[in-house]
Amino acid sequence: SNAALIFTRSTNISRSLIEQYGITADKVKCVYSGINTPASVLETVNKDYSNEVILFVGMDWKRKGGPTLADAFKRISNKHPNAILKIIGCNPKISHPQIKVLGKLLINELAQHYHKASIFCMPSVNEPFGAVFVEAMEHALPIVATTTGAIPDMVRDGWNGYLIEPGDVDGLSAALGRLLSDPEQCRKFGQNGKSQADKNYNWQAVGEKIKKAVLERLKELSL
């Protein structure tokens, strides 16, 4: 309440501060966030969107919507016998010939899986932010995710991916099926997402927004 300015990473947190904490709207500025992935691993050249590889990256399998994704993938796996679901960051017990559980990996190891994937999917039940969505956008991946938390800031339905409600297995199956059947749509979504990440989700852009807001507030206070 005593701060001159409050910077947030997402519009849903900005709304929370205003609506739930009673902070005046002019003090709350959403500046988004950068990621700490080295630029050297953000490979998007010669990306193949026809290889039907869906990537999930998350440590909390249940909160990140892993069970929903596994159910949805099993429904579409017969129609897409070449599709592969790669699960990174956790070790759920799943036995399916087209699901590969890889567990925790180093950043440099993870980068190659982003590059080889054609779709990123993490249908979170609850998601405060989700830096992996920014990583996926930087790797020019189309994203299938949910409408919770900060995700709608990053994923615009029908523009750089598809949004479903948490727990909607039917909706998730349909969205993944559409992308697996349309590599050019994957490419278009991926390019749109990368342009958004380059514009808003990097530390240079975040710093510029903070600098501008601070200078404007200082000017107001000096009058």
Side-chain angles (χ1 to χ4, degrees), residues 52-112:
E52 299 188 64
V53 175
I54 301 169
L55 182 64
F56 169 99
V57 180
M59 295 178 65
D60 191 337
W61 175 246
K62 290 184 178 180
R63 182 173 66 81
K64 301 289 186 176
T68 302
L69 174 56
D71 289 345
F73 182 80
K74 289 174 183 178
R75 290 188 184 186
I76 62 174
S77 60
N78 288 336
K79 185 176 179 180
H80 298 276
N82 295 320
I84 296 293
L85 170 59
K86 290 185 179 180
I87 298 169
I88 295 176
C90 55
N91 291 281
K93 294 181 179 180
I94 300 176
S95 179
H96 190 281
Q98 293 169 245
I99 298 179
K100 311 300 181 184
V101 179
L102 304 179
K104 294 182 180 180
L105 300 177
L106 298 175
I107 289 178
N108 289 342
E109 295 174 323
L110 177 59
Q112 64 178 309

Side-chain angles (χ1 to χ4, degrees), residues 182-193:
D182 194 344
E184 283 309 307
Q185 185 68 74
C186 289
R187 183 180 302 279
K188 179 180 178 180
F189 280 175
Q191 291 173 346
N192 288 344

